[in-house]
Structure formats: structure tokens, C-alpha cells
Amino acid sequence: MPGLPHPHDPAAREDHEQHGTRQDGQQPTVQWAQWDEARRIAYGLPQPLPNILLPLAQCQDEVLAEAVTAEMPVPHYASAAADGWAVAGDGPWRIRVPQPTETDERLLLTLPPEKRMLPVVELTAGEATHVNTGDAVPFGTTAVLEAHRGHVVPADPTAQIPEDTEHGRKPEEGDTLEDATPAAPLVKNQDVRAVGEEIEQGDLLLRAGRKLNPVHLGLAASAGHDMLPVRRRPRVTVLLGFANVVEDGIPGPGEVRDSLSLQLPAVLHELGANVDQVRRVADGAQGTVSALTESPMGANSLLDARAEIVVTTGGTGHGEDDHVRQALEELDAHLIIDGVAQEPAHGVILAKLPEDGPVVLALPGSPLSAITGLLTVGHALIAGATGEGMPVTRRITAGQGLDPAGVTRIIPAYLQDGRVVPEPATGPAMLSGLAHADVLLVVPEDGMKPGQDMEVVPLPWRV
């Protein structure tokens, strides 16, 4: 297969610009797309997926698709904000206590303990009843008198009344409650949590676009929600090659320890996708063709058949190992992007399989190249599928200079004293720089000067 020109060869761009729409109505393949152009193309490729409803327990880290309002007020009943006495009107107050559900003690014992007493549900002026923090206050309550302010006067001071060893004498129906600190009169609704005090029914609870955290889920539950509308994650199948890969232990000469099977699914989830399968693919174009057209046998086959995005690694170069491009051409896939004019990850390919098949994001096989391509082109592709906005970049002042390289470089960098500084380990197979990085730094073809305003790509696990 004839190779493509070098990614920063001007002839490659001129050749692309001279071509219009293909005869089949599809846009021509963009060869060696600029890095920001590749992101825009990837973002506009998928149709946004429909939103879904998920139970609250499954909404952690999902993105809210629509604004959510309160189904009920919070609190939804008037309650005591302190231990003490619910009172109605001015004191002193006649004490009321819960009464037995049954007058016949034998019948009373047949009931569950929690149903043996009738609570006081209403107070009229001059009445009071004991409440604990969080208890519903009776209808007619004007305030809660804290326990230390209440002084109980027995209705019959001579009566022999049993003592409560923890709280002293038990109040009885008809006893009188007095305020021990009348110089500080009660105000209306003192120590009463009113209905809707925090949130009224219909109030805006959560705005669309929020990444849901545990507190959001608790708030939604407190306002009456069981499910929330979230953006649906695209389903992804990851296809990894076998060549010279060791999945555990210490690799031998000519072998490499597998890292992508661990990284790619985790990064894809951070970017908003769900990985249904990670599969090893037989080397060569035929192995890739089979993997893209045949679902495996067994329980996973249905999941695989429903993938909206397929991510592959390796085989995107222009040499003997160029099997991904060959497989895509055999399948009559539409190559949308064939190479990106950046280092690393210049071998990124973006294609669409025919008959409304999945989008294929083919990444280079070197670890840093693969992750860089995923964080740039892949992130934009996933954002387009979920209906989110284009992934944003930031501007940060350069902390040092870099010589021109003739090609855009996307390299790991860290922040120091408000400035961005490149990590030293930036080779396509190196992960140590990215492991310690805060951002990806976009270095243009003409290099970087200290103090220059630079574009950076935030890392999802550092946001």
C-alpha cells in the first residue's frame, strides 16, 4: 500500500484542500489533520445519544442531562429542631401526653410496640407536648421550648408518681408547663423546622450538566427523586493486539508489558463512555476484519454487537504492520481522518463502518501515543456522542522555552507557580511523564518561549 506523506509535509494539506465532496456524498478523507481540526471533526461526527433515566444508586459520576426540580418540599413536614416541648400560644401550658391505643391492656399487648400509643397530633392555644429533635410537631404548634427551659408543675403535687431514672419525673396529662426563662420570650416558629424551610416544591434542585457526586444524590433523594435523567454513555469495545505483549510478570527481551488494557477502559470511563468489552485481536488485517465484523460467542456477544464506538490499538503506521487501515478498506469503511499532524499520536485514524456501523477510533500502539490520541480526538468524539459541549482547553503561561520541532507537539506537563512546564519523559512509549502531569501542553510548530501564553488540555483525573 503506498504510504502517505509526512504529517508536516505541506503537500499533504494542499492535496486535501484541492478535493471536494466525494461522488458518494461523503466528505473526503482528511489526511494529517491539524490537532484542533481533528478534535472538531471527531466532535461533529456522532449523533448525540438519547438521555436515559438511572436509579440514584447508579448515578455517581454521571452527567445530569436536564435540570431537576424538587418533587416535594424539604422538610416535607414541620419538625422540632431541638429536644423539648411543642407549645401552642402563650404559657403556661397544659401538658398533653400520648394516650394508649386500647383501654383494654390485654388487647394493647397484642399490638406492635410502635402502635400502642396515639401521638398528640394537634394542639390548641395553651397546650404543650414533649418532642425530640426531628419529631413531627403537632398541628397548631407555634414554637418549641427547649428542654432546659421547661419547668413541669404536677397537677396533683401529692400524687405518688413513679420516677424515670434517666429523666426524672414523667409528665402526665394535665400537668402544667412553665417557661423557666420568661425574660427571653419565645418567637413564632422558634426551633421549628418549617415545611419547605430549605427547599420548596418545584425549586431548582440541580442544574443540567453537573457531574453527579454523592451529595447531589442525597439531595435528590431528600427531595423525592428515585431516578435522574443523565446523558447516556456511548458503548465502547476495545480491541488490543497480541504482538509481543505480556499481560503479567516480567517481560523478556523483545516483549512489552501490557499497560493499555488497564489504562484505556479507565480513561474511556473518565471521558464519559462505558466499555463493554476489552478483547485481544489476532495479528494482521484479517484478525482486525474478524474482530470488527464477528461478535464472540457467549453472553458478551449481544453487548459487543451494540457497540457505538470501537477503539483499536496498534497497526496504524504506514509500514508492514499497517493492518488497521487495510482492514478498514476491506470493510469499505469511510476513513474520516487518516493521521493527525501532531507528535505523539500522529497515527490516529477515525473511520465509520458502513450500514450505520460503529465509529472506529484507531490509536497507535505506543502507550503515550495511544492515551494522547484518546485524550484529544477520542474525548471530542465521546463528547459529541453524549451531547456535551466541545471539551475545553485552558490558557497558561509557559514556564520555560522549547525549540521548534516543525510539528505540533502534545506533551505531558506540570504546573509550577502558576506556569506550565514540560515533563522530561515525553517519548511515545513513555508513561512516567504523563503519570506525574497536570495537563497536556500544546506546543506549536515554532516552539515555545518563556512567558508565552500556551494552550493546555486538562487531564480528566486532575480536574
Side-chain angles (χ1 to χ4, degrees), residues 271-348:
L271 298 180
N274 273 339
V275 176
D276 288 333
Q277 289 192 56
V278 178
R279 295 166 49 196
R280 290 286 172 190
V281 178
D283 296 335
Q286 192 53 51
T288 302
V289 169
S290 298
L292 291 173
T293 55
E294 299 174 7
S295 296
M297 300 297 290
N300 289 333
S301 60
L302 289 179
L303 294 178
D304 182 68
R306 291 157 62 184
E308 283 117 5
I309 298 173
V310 176
V311 175
T312 71
T313 62
T316 63
H318 295 94
E320 294 180 358
D321 293 332
D322 173 16
H323 59 264
V324 171
R325 187 178 291 99
Q326 181 182 342
L328 291 171
E329 291 178 352
E330 286 186 26
L331 293 172
D332 198 27
H334 172 37
L335 264 64
I336 298 163
I337 294 175
D338 191 357
V340 181
Q342 69 177 42
E343 293 291 348
H346 67 268
V348 169

Side-chain angles (χ1 to χ4, degrees), residues 217-308:
L217 306 186
L219 179 64
S222 71
H225 287 276
D226 299 314
M227 307 181 81
L228 289 176
V230 298
R231 291 173 179 163
R232 184 162 87 74
R233 293 171 176 263
R235 310 186 71 144
V236 178
T237 290
V238 176
L239 303 179
L240 303 171
F242 276 110
N244 304 321
V245 171
V246 176
E247 294 187 337
D248 51 46
I250 307 297
E255 298 176 329
V256 294
R257 176 64 191 266
D258 170 42
S259 65
L260 291 177
S261 65
L262 299 172
Q263 294 180 84
L264 287 179
V267 175
L268 283 161
H269 190 271
E270 288 273 2
L271 298 180
N274 273 339
V275 176
D276 288 333
Q277 289 192 56
V278 178
R279 295 166 49 196
R280 290 286 172 190
V281 178
D283 296 335
Q286 192 53 51
T288 302
V289 169
S290 298
L292 291 173
T293 55
E294 299 174 7
S295 296
M297 300 297 290
N300 289 333
S301 60
L302 289 179
L303 294 178
D304 182 68
R306 291 157 62 184
E308 283 117 5

Side-chain angles (χ1 to χ4, degrees), residues 372-390:
T372 301
L374 183 57
L375 291 172
T376 53
V377 180
H379 191 184
L381 176 66
I382 292 167
T386 59
E388 293 189 46
M390 179 70 154

Side-chain angles (χ1 to χ4, degrees), residues 15-29:
D15 179 69
H16 163 63
E17 291 166 359
Q18 291 173 0
H19 289 76
T21 303
R22 302 190 327 183
Q23 291 184 354
D24 58 9
Q26 293 178 326
Q27 292 299 314
T29 301

Side-chain angles (χ1 to χ4, degrees), residues 96-269:
R96 295 184 55 195
V97 298
Q99 298 298 309
T101 305
E102 292 284 350
T103 56
D104 187 327
E105 189 169 330
R106 292 171 299 177
L107 292 176
L108 189 65
L109 293 174
T110 65
L111 298 175
E114 68 274 9
K115 294 187 177 181
R116 292 175 186 174
M117 303 299 288
L118 293 171
V120 177
V121 296
E122 183 174 1
L123 296 175
T124 58
E127 293 183 334
T129 191
H130 186 268
V131 290
N132 292 317
T133 303
D135 286 349
V137 297
F139 181 77
T141 297
T142 54
V144 170
L145 181 72
E146 291 185 89
H148 69 272
R149 292 182 57 173
H151 175 63
V152 178
V153 178
D156 181 4
T158 64
Q160 297 294 318
I161 301 175
E163 295 291 321
D164 183 296
T165 56
E166 182 179 357
H167 301 290
R169 178 186 178 279
K170 290 181 178 179
E172 290 191 349
E173 187 84 12
D175 288 352
T176 299
L177 175 69
E178 296 178 349
D179 188 351
T181 57
L186 292 171
V187 298
K188 185 175 177 58
N189 286 330
Q190 182 171 324
D191 285 321
V192 174
R193 294 172 179 153
V195 173
E197 180 180 79
E198 180 184 358
I199 300 167
E200 293 283 1
Q201 183 176 359
D203 279 356
L204 177 64
L205 204 62
L206 295 168
R207 288 183 170 85
R210 296 298 299 267
K211 187 175 182 179
L212 295 169
N213 62 39
V215 179
H216 294 145
L217 306 186
L219 179 64
S222 71
H225 287 276
D226 299 314
M227 307 181 81
L228 289 176
V230 298
R231 291 173 179 163
R232 184 162 87 74
R233 293 171 176 263
R235 310 186 71 144
V236 178
T237 290
V238 176
L239 303 179
L240 303 171
F242 276 110
N244 304 321
V245 171
V246 176
E247 294 187 337
D248 51 46
I250 307 297
E255 298 176 329
V256 294
R257 176 64 191 266
D258 170 42
S259 65
L260 291 177
S261 65
L262 299 172
Q263 294 180 84
L264 287 179
V267 175
L268 283 161
H269 190 271

